[in-house]
Amino acid sequence: MSAATAASDWTALGAINSLMAAALPAMAAQGPWTPAERAALAALRQLHLQAEHCAKLASDQLAAKLGELQGRKEGWVAYAMSNPDHDNLDELRNRSEAADTGTTA
């Protein structure tokens, strides 16, 4: 989990999270945790909190970048539409409309 977090490997972290969600309840059903198991569980919990924190930061950064790109879209479209060499104005308009509505062009 630590390596996946450091690499921002969200696919691996998702798989690890799913595995934990399935394995931990099954392990808990086997009886009381031993001191060593409790220590391992505490370490796992700490790694999970770190991964969650990193995922939140990455999500916030992505949201900010998408907001920045959305804010510039109108200027890009205006520039492209004023450029007489642009051969695909209809395609550009369709992409712009798709971005506004969340659909694909």
Side-chain angles (χ1 to χ4, degrees):
M1 184 180 301
S2 181
T5 300
S8 298
D9 187 343
W10 311 123
T11 302
L13 284 168
I16 292 166
N17 197 56
S18 295
L19 180 63
M20 287 183 349
L24 290 175
M27 292 172 68
Q30 294 175 3
W33 297 93
T34 67
E37 289 171 331
R38 276 189 251 125
L41 187 59
L44 181 61
R45 184 175 290 126
Q46 187 60 38
L47 286 173
H48 190 265
L49 287 173
Q50 288 173 333
E52 184 179 41
H53 176 73
C54 288
K56 172 81 168 101
L57 289 177
S59 176
D60 290 348
Q61 289 172 346
L62 181 58
K65 182 66 175 176
L66 289 173
E68 180 183 322
L69 291 172
Q70 184 66 25
R72 293 181 184 175
K73 183 184 79 169
E74 193 172 313
W76 291 338
V77 171
Y79 173 80
M81 292 177 78
S82 69
N83 184 349
D85 295 329
H86 197 286
D87 293 333
N88 298 317
L89 277 179
D90 288 333
E91 179 183 342
L92 182 62
R93 285 187 192 109
N94 290 339
R95 286 184 183 182
S96 177
E97 290 169 5
D100 287 341
T101 62
T103 60
T104 57

